[in-house]
Coordinates of all heavy atoms in Angstrom, one line a residue:
I176 N -29.7 14.1 3.9 CA -29.3 13.9 2.5 C -27.8 13.5 2.5 O -27.4 12.7 1.6 CB -29.7 15.1 1.6 CG1 -29.8 14.6 0.2 CG2 -28.7 16.2 1.8 CD1 -30.4 15.7 -0.7
L177 N -27.0 14.0 3.3 CA -25.6 13.6 3.4 C -25.5 12.1 3.8 O -24.7 11.4 3.2 CB -24.8 14.5 4.4 CG -24.5 15.9 3.9 CD1 -24.0 16.7 5.1 CD2 -23.5 15.9 2.8
R178 N -26.2 11.7 4.7 CA -26.2 10.3 5.1 C -26.6 9.4 4.0 O -26.0 8.4 3.7 CB -27.1 10.1 6.4 CG -27.0 8.7 6.9 CD -28.2 8.4 7.9 NE -29.5 8.3 7.2 CZ -29.9 7.3 6.6 NH1 -29.1 6.2 6.4 NH2 -31.1 7.3 6.0
L179 N -27.7 9.7 3.4 CA -28.2 9.0 2.2 C -27.2 8.9 1.1 O -27.0 7.9 0.4 CB -29.5 9.5 1.7 CG -30.7 9.3 2.6 CD1 -31.9 10.2 2.0 CD2 -31.1 7.9 2.7
T180 N -26.5 10.0 0.9 CA -25.5 10.1 -0.2 C -24.3 9.2 0.1 O -23.8 8.5 -0.8 CB -25.0 11.6 -0.4 OG1 -26.2 12.4 -0.7 CG2 -24.0 11.7 -1.6
G181 N -23.9 9.2 1.3 CA -22.8 8.3 1.7 C -23.2 6.8 1.5 O -22.4 6.1 1.0
A182 N -24.4 6.5 1.9 CA -24.9 5.1 1.7 C -25.0 4.8 0.2 O -24.7 3.7 -0.3 CB -26.2 4.9 2.4
A183 N -25.4 5.8 -0.6 CA -25.6 5.6 -2.0 C -24.2 5.3 -2.7 O -24.1 4.4 -3.5 CB -26.2 6.8 -2.7
F184 N -23.2 6.0 -2.3 CA -21.9 5.8 -2.8 C -21.4 4.4 -2.5 O -20.7 3.8 -3.3 CB -20.9 6.8 -2.2 CG -19.5 6.6 -2.8 CD1 -19.1 7.0 -4.0 CD2 -18.5 6.0 -1.9 CE1 -17.8 6.8 -4.5 CE2 -17.2 5.8 -2.4 CZ -16.9 6.2 -3.7
D185 N -21.8 3.9 -1.4 CA -21.3 2.5 -1.0 C -22.2 1.5 -1.7 O -22.1 0.3 -1.3 CB -21.4 2.4 0.5 CG -20.3 3.1 1.2 OD1 -19.2 3.3 0.6 OD2 -20.4 3.5 2.4
G186 N -23.1 1.9 -2.6 CA -23.8 0.9 -3.4 C -25.3 0.7 -3.0 O -25.9 -0.2 -3.5
D187 N -25.8 1.5 -2.0 CA -27.1 1.3 -1.6 C -28.1 2.0 -2.6 O -28.2 3.2 -2.5 CB -27.3 1.8 -0.2 CG -28.7 1.5 0.4 OD1 -29.7 1.4 -0.3 OD2 -28.8 1.6 1.7
Q188 N -28.7 1.2 -3.5 CA -29.5 1.8 -4.5 C -30.8 2.4 -3.9 O -31.4 3.4 -4.4 CB -29.9 0.7 -5.6 CG -28.7 0.3 -6.4 CD -28.4 1.4 -7.5 OE1 -29.3 2.1 -7.9 NE2 -27.1 1.5 -7.8
D189 N -31.4 1.8 -2.8 CA -32.5 2.4 -2.2 C -32.2 3.8 -1.6 O -33.0 4.7 -1.8 CB -33.0 1.5 -1.0 CG -34.3 2.0 -0.4 OD1 -35.3 2.0 -1.0 OD2 -34.2 2.5 0.8
A190 N -31.0 3.9 -1.0 CA -30.7 5.2 -0.5 C -30.5 6.2 -1.6 O -30.9 7.4 -1.5 CB -29.4 5.1 0.4
A191 N -29.9 5.7 -2.7 CA -29.7 6.6 -3.8 C -31.1 7.1 -4.4 O -31.2 8.3 -4.8 CB -29.0 5.9 -5.0
A192 N -32.1 6.2 -4.4 CA -33.4 6.6 -4.9 C -34.1 7.6 -4.0 O -35.0 8.3 -4.4 CB -34.2 5.4 -5.1
R193 N -33.7 7.7 -2.8 CA -34.3 8.6 -1.8 C -33.7 10.0 -1.8 O -34.3 10.9 -1.2 CB -34.2 8.0 -0.4 CG -35.0 6.8 -0.2 CD -34.8 6.1 1.2 NE -35.6 4.9 1.3 CZ -36.9 4.9 1.7 NH1 -37.5 6.0 2.0 NH2 -37.5 3.7 1.8
V194 N -32.6 10.1 -2.4 CA -31.9 11.4 -2.4 C -32.6 12.5 -3.3 O -32.8 13.6 -2.8 CB -30.4 11.2 -3.0 CG1 -29.8 12.7 -3.2 CG2 -29.6 10.5 -1.9
E195 N -33.1 12.1 -4.4 CA -33.7 13.1 -5.3 C -35.0 13.7 -4.7 O -35.2 14.9 -4.7 CB -33.9 12.6 -6.7 CG -34.6 13.6 -7.7 CD -33.7 14.8 -7.9 OE1 -32.5 14.7 -7.6 OE2 -34.2 15.7 -8.5
P196 N -35.9 12.9 -4.2 CA -37.1 13.5 -3.6 C -36.7 14.4 -2.3 O -37.4 15.4 -2.2 CB -37.9 12.3 -3.2 CG -37.1 11.1 -3.2 CD -36.0 11.4 -4.2
L197 N -35.8 14.0 -1.6 CA -35.3 14.9 -0.5 C -34.7 16.1 -0.9 O -34.9 17.2 -0.4 CB -34.4 14.1 0.4 CG -33.9 14.8 1.7 CD1 -35.0 15.5 2.5 CD2 -33.1 13.9 2.6
E198 N -33.9 16.0 -2.0 CA -33.3 17.3 -2.6 C -34.4 18.2 -3.0 O -34.3 19.4 -2.9 CB -32.4 16.9 -3.8 CG -31.6 18.1 -4.3 CD -32.3 18.8 -5.5 OE1 -33.2 18.3 -6.0 OE2 -32.0 20.0 -5.6
Q199 N -35.5 17.7 -3.6 CA -36.6 18.6 -4.0 C -37.3 19.2 -2.9 O -37.7 20.4 -2.8 CB -37.6 17.7 -4.9 CG -37.0 17.3 -6.2 CD -36.8 18.5 -7.1 OE1 -37.7 19.3 -7.4 NE2 -35.6 18.6 -7.7
V200 N -37.4 18.5 -1.8 CA -37.9 19.0 -0.5 C -37.0 20.1 0.0 O -37.5 21.2 0.4 CB -38.2 17.9 0.6 CG1 -38.5 18.5 1.9 CG2 -39.3 17.0 0.1
I201 N -35.8 20.0 0.0 CA -34.8 21.0 0.4 C -34.9 22.2 -0.4 O -34.9 23.3 0.1 CB -33.4 20.4 0.5 CG1 -33.2 19.4 1.6 CG2 -32.4 21.5 0.6 CD1 -31.9 18.6 1.6
D202 N -35.0 22.0 -1.7 CA -35.3 23.2 -2.6 C -36.5 24.0 -2.2 O -36.5 25.2 -2.1 CB -35.4 22.8 -4.1 CG -34.1 22.4 -4.7 OD1 -33.1 22.7 -4.2 OD2 -34.2 21.9 -5.9
G203 N -37.6 23.3 -1.9 CA -38.8 23.9 -1.5 C -38.6 24.6 -0.1 O -39.2 25.7 0.1
L204 N -37.9 24.0 0.8 CA -37.7 24.7 2.1 C -36.9 26.0 1.9 O -37.3 27.0 2.5 CB -36.9 23.8 3.0 CG -37.5 22.6 3.6 CD1 -36.5 21.6 4.3 CD2 -38.6 23.0 4.6
C205 N -35.8 25.9 1.1 CA -35.1 27.2 0.8 C -36.0 28.3 0.2 O -35.8 29.4 0.6 CB -33.9 26.9 -0.1 SG -32.6 25.8 0.7
E206 N -36.8 27.9 -0.7 CA -37.7 28.9 -1.3 C -38.7 29.5 -0.3 O -38.9 30.7 -0.2 CB -38.5 28.3 -2.4 CG -39.3 29.3 -3.3 CD -38.4 30.3 -3.9 OE1 -37.3 30.0 -4.3 OE2 -38.9 31.5 -4.1
Q207 N -39.2 28.6 0.6 CA -40.1 29.1 1.6 C -39.4 30.1 2.6 O -39.9 31.1 3.0 CB -40.7 28.0 2.4 CG -41.7 27.1 1.6 CD -42.1 25.9 2.5 OE1 -42.8 26.2 3.6 NE2 -41.8 24.7 2.1
M208 N -38.1 29.6 2.9 CA -37.3 30.5 3.9 C -36.9 31.8 3.3 O -36.9 32.8 4.0 CB -36.1 29.6 4.3 CG -36.5 28.5 5.2 SD -35.2 27.2 5.4 CE -34.1 28.1 6.5
R209 N -36.7 31.9 2.1 CA -36.4 33.1 1.4 C -37.7 34.0 1.4 O -37.6 35.3 1.7 CB -36.0 33.0 -0.1 CG -34.6 32.3 -0.2 CD -34.2 32.3 -1.6 NE -32.8 31.7 -1.7 CZ -32.5 30.4 -2.1 NH1 -33.5 29.6 -2.4 NH2 -31.3 30.0 -2.1
T210 N -38.8 33.5 1.1 CA -40.1 34.3 1.2 C -40.4 34.7 2.6 O -40.8 35.9 2.8 CB -41.3 33.4 0.7 OG1 -41.0 33.0 -0.7 CG2 -42.6 34.1 0.8
R211 N -40.2 33.9 3.6 CA -40.4 34.3 5.0 C -39.4 35.4 5.4 O -39.8 36.3 6.2 CB -40.3 33.1 5.9 CG -41.4 32.1 5.7 CD -41.4 31.0 6.8 NE -42.5 30.1 6.7 CZ -42.9 29.3 7.7 NH1 -42.3 29.3 8.8 NH2 -43.9 28.5 7.5
H212 N -38.2 35.2 4.9 CA -37.2 36.3 5.2 C -37.6 37.7 4.8 O -37.5 38.7 5.5 CB -35.9 35.9 4.7 CG -34.9 37.1 4.6 ND1 -34.4 37.6 5.8 CD2 -34.4 37.8 3.6 CE1 -33.6 38.6 5.4 NE2 -33.6 38.7 4.1
I213 N -38.2 37.7 3.5 CA -38.6 39.0 3.0 C -39.8 39.6 3.8 O -39.8 40.8 4.2 CB -39.1 38.8 1.5 CG1 -37.9 38.5 0.7 CG2 -39.9 40.1 1.0 CD1 -38.4 38.0 -0.8
A214 N -40.7 38.7 4.3 CA -41.7 39.2 5.2 C -41.1 39.7 6.5 O -41.6 40.7 7.0 CB -42.7 38.0 5.5
R215 N -40.1 39.1 7.0 CA -39.5 39.6 8.3 C -38.9 40.9 8.1 O -38.9 41.8 8.9 CB -38.6 38.5 8.9 CG -39.2 37.4 9.5 CD -38.3 36.5 10.3 NE -37.4 35.7 9.5 CZ -37.5 34.6 9.0 NH1 -38.7 33.9 9.4 NH2 -36.6 33.9 8.3
L216 N -38.2 41.1 6.9 CA -37.6 42.4 6.6 C -38.6 43.5 6.5 O -38.4 44.5 7.0 CB -36.9 42.3 5.2 CG -35.5 41.7 5.2 CD1 -34.9 41.6 3.7 CD2 -34.5 42.6 6.0
Q217 N -39.8 43.2 5.9 CA -40.8 44.2 5.8 C -41.4 44.6 7.1 O -41.8 45.7 7.3 CB -41.9 43.6 4.8 CG -41.4 43.4 3.4 CD -42.5 42.7 2.5 OE1 -43.3 42.0 3.0 NE2 -42.4 43.0 1.2

Side-chain angles (χ1 to χ4, degrees):
I176 204 170
L177 285 169
R178 185 193 69 78
L179 289 171
T180 301
F184 178 77
D185 286 333
D187 186 335
Q188 289 286 327
D189 181 68
R193 292 177 181 276
V194 168
E195 181 62 15
L197 180 51
E198 188 270 336
Q199 292 295 307
V200 167
I201 289 170
D202 281 353
L204 286 172
C205 290
E206 187 60 31
Q207 291 177 63
M208 290 166 71
R209 290 185 178 101
T210 299
R211 290 187 179 199
H212 163 67
I213 292 171
R215 285 192 289 268
L216 274 177
Q217 291 172 337

